[in-house]
Amino acid sequence: MRIMFTTVPVLGHLLPMAPLAAAARRAGHDVLVVSGVDVELECKRLGLPFTQAGPSVAVSTAAHRPDDRADATPEQRIAADIANLFGPAAQRRAEELLPLAMHWRPDVVVHDPSELAGAIAAACTGARHVVHGLGMWSAQVWPMLEPAYARLADRWRVRPSAFLDALYVDPFPRALQPGGPADFRHVQPLRPVAPPAAPALLDLPRDPVYLTLGTIFNDAADVFGAVLDGLIALPHNVLVTAGPGADPARLGNWPPRVRITDFVPQEQLLPHCRLVISHGGAGTVTGALRHGLPQLVLPRGADNFHNAAAVHAAGAGLWLPPDEVAPDAVAGAVARLLDEPTFAEAAGRVAAEIAGMPAPDEVLDRILSGSLR
């Protein structure tokens, strides 16, 4: 069968979908990833065929109109960011994706929740329609994107309800979202596993505390500095990824027990770590929990705040809002996470739940056979 994966051109949106795409390749199906140029190299690294369509992150960001009202709440600013970043980009991507899809004729279209053009491609080609979740919050952005989707649906003469009629593949454990994903009518759990990656030659410190701010929010040198100032007061090795293409030197000089690099697939690091400090992206949160690691979440934007609250509610970690990220607060939180066993115990319970979720190969079989539960 022909299976098209389409996503906004951000690694945090592509990588959660990669295990299902890899499963399809292993099963002998034709796979094509369609996105902006930003994820082309990663698709090549993963061995996934790629075709470019739609704007890059830089183009989308340049056209972005933030909600800069003085009285705007954080929630209103996030809603404006979602609508203004993903809505217009989907309009432009659809213009390039639809001719490609009509020519390639996929049997299945899989897309992330913010890639609205994928839903249009599925409807126009008659392909089986799958929305691949990214985390708890990704199932809750629909109200922010519904107006943009309605405009797309009207232009391409697609039923407005087609988006929520899709199968929603959910890689977030119920421990972090007891009520399940909102809005979608058909939900299929999927075990969040690491994307395939070639082994890297790493010289890792022993049992490190791992610090990352992901691939979008990693320009916050002040946050890196505050966290490292807090960690250096504790007797632990530290491993830092500064972000893809980032110069580790920009974070300054630190003692030898602090190791800083640019980017390494987290699955190559997490088995060796004892604690994760991150921005709270869904992939990092589920990756840490998959290994039963407690975590300190320092949310920056997007889904980070929802994920931080969910990790805290599950008992698997702590979180600090942006205005409380200071060396003493970081040091205190890390000491609690490592000294109090309840955090690791809760993370272990979530890891056990994740291990029991259906694997990508099994979910792929269910999608293609129509045997879903």
Side-chain angles (χ1 to χ4, degrees):
M1 301 185 79
R2 291 187 166 187
I3 306 176
M4 176 179 285
F5 291 79
T6 178
T7 175
V8 299
V10 175
L11 290 183
H13 291 231
L14 169 71
L15 292 178
M17 302 168 63
L20 191 63
R25 292 271 283 172
R26 286 194 301 272
H29 301 292
D30 290 332
V31 169
L32 181 64
V33 177
V34 184
S35 186
V37 67
D38 308 75
V39 298
E40 182 175 5
L41 289 179
E42 185 64 13
C43 285
K44 289 181 178 178
R45 187 186 70 78
L46 294 170
L48 298 175
F50 174 85
T51 293
Q52 181 181 339
S56 66
V57 170
V59 170
S60 297
T61 302
H64 174 47
R65 302 184 309 279
D67 187 342
D68 54 5
R69 295 174 299 165
D71 60 346
T73 66
E75 291 76 14
Q76 289 171 326
R77 288 193 172 94
I78 289 174
D81 286 344
I82 294 298
N84 293 331
L85 281 173
F86 296 137
Q91 298 278 348
R92 293 192 290 272
R93 185 166 293 110
E95 293 174 359
E96 300 177 27
L97 178 63
L98 263 293
L100 171 65
M102 295 300 290
H103 175 75
W104 200 65
R105 286 291 173 181
D107 300 289
V108 182
V109 172
V110 184
H111 64 91
D112 78 75
S114 52
E115 170 50 327
L116 304 178
I120 303 300
C124 289
T125 60
R128 195 165 300 174
H129 183 192
V130 179
V131 178
H132 195 301
L134 308 176
M136 174 183 65
W137 187 67
S138 67
Q140 301 173 359
V141 299
W142 174 246
M144 308 173 199
L145 293 174
E146 185 174 11
Y149 182 73
R151 291 191 293 272
L152 271 175
D154 181 66
R155 175 176 177 182
W156 298 98
R157 301 183 184 278
V158 170
R159 289 183 301 109
S161 63
F163 193 95
L164 297 182
D165 287 339
L167 173 69
Y168 182 80
V169 171
D170 186 15
F172 229 47
R174 288 294 177 267
L176 299 186
Q177 51 169 355
D183 294 320
F184 287 90
R185 303 177 182 93
H186 313 289
V187 179
Q188 168 62 54
L190 169 69
R191 184 191 311 160
V193 302
L201 297 177
L202 300 174
D203 179 19
L204 296 177
R206 183 176 179 181
D207 297 328
V209 171
Y210 174 43
L211 168 61
T212 176
L213 295 181
T215 59
I216 296 295
F217 299 107
N218 53 49
D219 59 347
D222 57 331
V223 177
F224 277 115
V227 175
L228 288 171
D229 281 337
L231 291 176
I232 207 66
L234 302 174
H236 307 300
N237 291 325
V238 179
L239 176 64
V240 184
T241 52
D247 180 7
R250 72 185 175 90
L251 300 185
N253 296 317
W254 299 91
R257 63 187 175 91
V258 177
R259 194 78 48 81
I260 304 177
T261 186
D262 56 351
F263 174 79
V264 179
Q266 68 177 14
E267 191 60 22
Q268 299 181 18
L269 307 178
L270 293 177
H272 308 283
C273 299
R274 59 187 308 183
L275 172 75
V276 174
I277 303 175
S278 81
H279 60 302
T284 304
V285 165
T286 55
L289 290 172
R290 191 168 60 247
H291 291 276
L293 296 174
Q295 50 195 303
L296 172 61
V297 184
L298 313 174
R300 304 292 299 162
D303 61 343
N304 300 174
F305 291 89
H306 294 76
N307 295 336
V311 168
H312 184 262
L318 299 170
W319 72 287
L320 295 173
D323 59 354
E324 294 182 20
V325 179
D328 288 347
V330 170
V334 168
R336 282 194 61 195
L337 289 165
L338 293 177
D339 294 344
E340 299 177 21
T342 55
F343 295 106
E345 291 167 357
R349 289 192 293 272
V350 181
E353 179 191 340
I354 290 174
M357 297 168 71
D361 300 88
E362 182 180 354
V363 172
L364 177 69
D365 288 342
R366 294 180 185 182
I367 291 171
L368 300 183
S369 69
S371 174
L372 299 167
R373 61 181 185 273

